[in-house]
Amino acid sequence: MELLRVDSISKSFGGVEAVKEFSMVQADAEITAIIGPNGAGKTTTFNLVSGVQSVDRGYVTFLGADITRMPPHRIQALGVSRTFQNIRLFDGLSVLDNVKISDASRLGYNMFDELLSSPRVRRREKEIQERAVAQLAFLGLDRYAGDKPSSLSYGLRRRLELARALMPEPKLLLLDEPAAGLNASEIRELMDTIQQIQLEKKISVIIVEHHMELVMNLCSTIHVMDFGRKIAAGTPREVRADAKVLEAYLGDMEEVC
Ligand SMILES: Nc1ncnc2c1ncn2[C@@H]1O[C@H](COP(=O)(O)OP(=O)(O)OP(=O)(O)O)[C@@H](O)[C@H]1O
Ligand SMILES: [Mg+2]
């Protein structure tokens, strides 16, 4: 089933055309990647899909609904969640609270309920607490629930970001360079985790990543960007053999080979 349709989206910053007529279709329960050299427009594409930046031209639909001009929180409520290239955590809050506050069901929250601490609110709080604890356990972070994010290693903070993105129970997860800064064993664990996210939680995943082993092993389809445009798309085998891809990565050839 088609989950996401990106239809010829473009975005310029002043004179820089960061994304030019980029299109892709993502099915549910599929893992795909967007790769390309630095500055190719990968993060901007995620920003446009998740509503963090507005598109200049083109359309984005999710489960058939036009989300092109929707604000990020509404897109998230429909089922699109993401992580950021640079870790974004609340250092003043515990690991558990970092996960709890990223819950989407806070929408529709009634301030009077909160003031009165009604049974409805207490039930809801308990339910959020249980789901947050479950997400931490899924990512092997449960023993750090009471700690501050700053006391965790870089690799564990990256996992915490993933727990936060999973908390709203998305249908589609956008991961922006999840392997950046991780060591070899952390990258293997991440690959297992992404596979579990797909198989157990039935979440569709789009990964922006420079780590080619991860991309080639996990993804059924790879979209390749260069200077804002899509220059190739196909299976790992097809993309590896594509002359345009090798040219885009010239000087960096061992990365794709
Ligand atoms: N807010 C912005 N203002 C101006 N230019 C921007 C802005 N965001 C991105 N750009 C430019 O748009 C182009 C695409 O940037 P983008 O961050 O999407 O690339 P990327 O493929 O994610 O690169 P990387 O692999 O280095 O993360 C780059 O030339 C970048 O400098
Ligand atoms: Mg980027």
Side-chain angles (χ1 to χ4, degrees):
M1 187 184 61
E2 179 179 312
L3 202 56
L4 178 79
R5 174 172 290 266
V6 176
D7 189 3
S8 200
I9 56 170
S10 298
K11 177 73 177 178
S12 294
F13 300 106
V16 180
E17 288 189 276
V19 176
K20 289 182 218 168
E21 293 165 9
F22 179 85
S23 299
M24 69 177 280
V25 172
Q26 175 90 1
D28 63 344
E30 147 178 74
I31 305 178
T32 67
I34 303 175
I35 66 168
N38 290 119
K42 307 179 298 294
T43 295
T44 305
T45 299
F46 271 5
N47 288 342
L48 298 177
V49 169
S50 60
V52 171
Q53 289 171 333
S54 60
V55 302
D56 293 341
R57 290 185 307 284
Y59 298 93
V60 185
T61 48
F62 183 71
L63 286 171
D66 184 352
I67 61 166
T68 315
R69 312 255 161 235
M70 265 188 202
H73 69 273
R74 283 194 56 207
I75 294 174
Q76 193 187 52
L78 285 177
V80 182
S81 208
R82 70 172 291 181
T83 61
F84 289 87
Q85 194 166 346
N86 304 312
I87 295 181
R88 296 186 179 187
L89 297 169
F90 295 95
D91 280 326
L93 299 178
S94 69
V95 165
L96 179 65
D97 284 342
N98 263 275
V99 179
K100 283 170 71 174
I101 60 160
S102 76
D103 187 69
S105 71
R106 277 173 304 147
L107 297 171
Y109 208 38
N110 183 321
M111 199 176 70
F112 292 106
D113 272 352
E114 189 167 24
L115 287 174
L116 298 170
S117 185
S118 68
R120 195 171 82 98
V121 168
R122 284 198 299 276
R123 265 200 312 278
R124 215 186 63 101
E125 272 300 313
K126 186 163 170 283
E127 185 267 332
I128 290 175
Q129 170 91 9
E130 283 168 1
R131 276 197 297 114
V133 168
Q135 295 297 358
L136 288 181
F138 176 72
L139 289 161
L141 291 170
D142 33 342
R143 83 190 83 146
Y144 307 107
D147 296 348
K148 289 280 174 357
S150 54
S151 71
L152 302 182
S153 69
Y154 181 79
L156 292 177
R157 276 187 282 140
R158 281 247 159 219
R159 287 185 96 66
L160 178 54
E161 265 234 309
L162 208 44
R164 280 172 51 74
L166 289 172
M167 184 63 184
E169 299 182 339
K171 299 180 183 75
L172 175 65
L173 184 60
L174 312 176
L175 302 177
D176 198 349
E177 299 201 20
L182 301 188
N183 63 37
S185 72
E186 288 170 333
I187 290 177
R188 274 195 299 279
E189 284 168 14
L190 174 68
M191 285 165 64
D192 288 345
T193 302
I194 294 173
Q195 235 148 13
Q196 273 180 302
I197 288 172
Q198 179 207 28
L199 293 173
E200 291 174 23
K201 296 184 183 283
K202 311 286 179 219
I203 296 172
S204 189
V205 188
I206 308 177
I207 309 170
V208 161
E209 189 48 74
H210 290 287
H211 193 278
M212 285 305 139
E213 191 195 331
L214 182 148
V215 167
M216 297 289 168
N217 279 321
L218 286 183
C219 302
S220 51
T221 303
I222 299 173
H223 306 271
V224 188
M225 295 184 80
D226 194 21
F227 294 109
R229 284 193 187 279
K230 183 149 94 176
I231 58 162
T235 62
R237 180 194 283 258
E238 286 164 349
V239 160
R240 247 193 310 242
D242 192 302
K244 292 190 293 300
V245 178
L246 296 176
E247 198 182 325
Y249 277 97
L250 215 61
D252 236 348
M253 293 271 270
E254 71 284 3
E255 260 200 284
V256 260
C257 295

